[in-house]
Structures are given as structure tokens and as C-alpha cells.
Amino acid sequence: GAVVSQHPSWVICKSGTSVKIECRSLDFQATTMFWYRQFPKQSLMLMATSNEGSKATYEQGVEKDKFLINHASLTLSTLTVTSAHPEDSSFYICSTTRTGISSNQPQHFGDGTRLSIL
Amino acid sequence: AQSVAQPEDQVNVAEGNPLTVKCTYSVSGNPYLFWYVQYPNRGLQFLLKYITGDNLVKGSYGFEAEFNKSQTSFHLKKPSALVSDSALYFCAVRASDNYGQNFVFGPGTRLSVLP
């Protein structure tokens, strides 16, 4: 069954709205979560790495004030798209590894959130 | 630096025929290699991984992949394709000594299995 729950799955909202996306690990503690953005027919682009209890690490070119990440507990990380505009419309996906950040374990992905800004 | 190439944007195969989705990688040190599948409007699902040992790795849904160190490849294969295998496939790599760092994903290959 699913080990990572992502919510909501689809959001349609007006320009200027802030949207929060939640990512939960269901039966394990997730010290680290990854947030990706995926454009149509393209690969995943890592936006940021979220570490429980500390500030997220953002990839180059990703606006940290635009994409606010909070990882306040070992089972929940949130991504807030602030003052969203049509160019922020995309598919956002979170992931984590079951055993922390061991490099030989696969990542487990949420089902993604499709964000459409009108 | 790590990188992954999937040379084919699209692969078409008839149902019942064998399929191959290609992946080549570049990494310093020993690689950990992964294949994921993505269905429309869904996250990625793990199919299989190569860490060490036998070069032929078997995974979910009848898929397998062969690690070839000399060719730096990790092609995904299935002996008999199903229409339900139609999806987007991603190859990913991570260096074995890259503890704590993220995966690098290939650009993806869209597989279409025709009935």
C-alpha cells in the first residue's frame, strides 16, 4: 500500500491565492523529504530538500520565498506556493526514503498535486 | 557529477512482444540504479533497483533490468508487453558514496503498448 500520502491531488484557484500541499509518511518517520516539480512530458525537477526541524535546502533557481517548505514533524512536510500565478501551474510531487537518507533505498513518492492557477 | 540519459522519448511495442527501455548513466564511483514508472496524474512507483551482485535484476510486474558496467547502462526489459504497461518510465542513479544526496532522474521514456 501507499507509504506516502500527498494532499490535495488537484487544486484549481485564482491568481494571487496561496496554496498549501501536504506530504505525509504513513507508517514510518521521514527525516528527509524531497519536493519536485514536473512539467508536462518532462522529468522531475528537484525543488528542495526538506529536513525535519531545520530549514529546507533549495535548488538553484527556486525562489524560497515563493515556495515555502515546512517540515515540523517526522511525518509531515508542507509546500506552500505563495501568491500563485499561472506560471506556477504544474504537477508537484513529494518523496522520501523509508529508512531515512540511505543511498541504496528507493524513494517513495506521493501521488502528486496538480496545481492549476487561473 | 551524476547524470542519466534515456535516449528514446517514446517507445512503441505491440502487445505480447518484448520491450526494452534504454538507460545510460554517468557517476563517479559505484552506482545505485533505479527504475520508476509513472501513470497519468500519479507519483512515481518503484519498479526495481541495482545495488550490487547479480547484474540481472528482477522487479515488479514482470520487469527486469540488466546492469552493464562497461557500457554504463541499465536497460529495462520485459519479455512480453501488456497494454497496461503503457506509461512514463524514469531511470535514476545515485552514487553509492553520495549519502544523503538526492537521486538524478533521466528525462523519461514514454512507453506505448499497442493492442
Side-chain angles (χ1 to χ4, degrees), chain A residues 10 34 36 38 41-44 46 49 91 93 97 101-112 114, chain B residues 32 34 36 38 41-44 46 49 51 88 90 94-96 98-103 105-108 110:
Chain A
W10 203 301
F34 303 100
Y36 295 88
Q38 185 180 28
K41 298 183 180 181
Q42 293 190 27
S43 189
L44 283 72
L46 179 65
T49 302
F91 192 57
I93 311 174
T97 52
I101 53 177
S102 174
S103 61
N104 68 0
Q105 295 301 310
Q107 291 188 357
H108 297 279
F109 288 83
D111 273 346
R114 181 156 303 284
Chain B
Y32 291 155
F34 303 80
Y36 291 86
Q38 185 181 31
N41 294 310
R42 300 293 297 275
L44 277 66
F46 169 70
K49 67 179 180 181
I51 303 301
L88 191 57
F90 292 98
R94 200 182 209 181
S96 60
N98 201 5
Y99 195 83
Q101 296 301 310
N102 194 30
F103 293 65
F105 288 88
R110 187 164 299 280

Side-chain angles (χ1 to χ4, degrees), chain A residues 41-70:
Chain A
K41 298 183 180 181
Q42 293 190 27
S43 189
L44 283 72
M45 180 191 79
L46 179 65
M47 300 174 64
T49 302
S50 162
N51 296 297
E52 186 270 335
S54 64
K55 291 184 178 181
T57 302
Y58 289 81
E59 296 300 304
Q60 190 172 9
V62 177
E63 300 175 59
K64 60 181 66 177
D65 294 331
K66 173 70 154 177
F67 299 100
L68 299 179
I69 291 174
N70 183 281

Side-chain angles (χ1 to χ4, degrees), chain B residues 3-104:
Chain B
S3 67
V4 178
Q6 292 179 242
E8 300 155 318
D9 293 336
Q10 174 92 33
V11 170
N12 298 319
V13 64
E15 187 175 29
N17 283 3
L19 69 86
T20 299
V21 182
K22 295 179 180 178
C23 171
T24 59
Y25 66 91
S26 175
V27 66
S28 57
N30 294 319
Y32 291 155
L33 294 155
F34 303 80
W35 274 102
Y36 291 86
V37 60
Q38 185 181 31
Y39 296 99
N41 294 310
R42 300 293 297 275
L44 277 66
Q45 295 179 33
F46 169 70
L47 280 179
L48 50 79
K49 67 179 180 181
Y50 171 81
I51 303 301
T52 186
D54 194 350
N55 288 345
L56 184 63
V57 179
K58 294 187 184 296
S60 305
Y61 312 119
F63 284 94
E64 58 188 29
E66 186 164 14
F67 170 62
N68 188 316
K69 188 173 183 177
S70 63
Q71 296 184 5
T72 61
S73 67
F74 190 56
H75 301 331
L76 181 70
K77 300 180 180 183
K78 187 172 182 179
S80 178
L82 300 172
V83 173
S84 57
D85 293 329
S86 299
L88 191 57
Y89 290 81
F90 292 98
C91 182
V93 70
R94 200 182 209 181
S96 60
D97 61 352
N98 201 5
Y99 195 83
Q101 296 301 310
N102 194 30
F103 293 65
V104 173

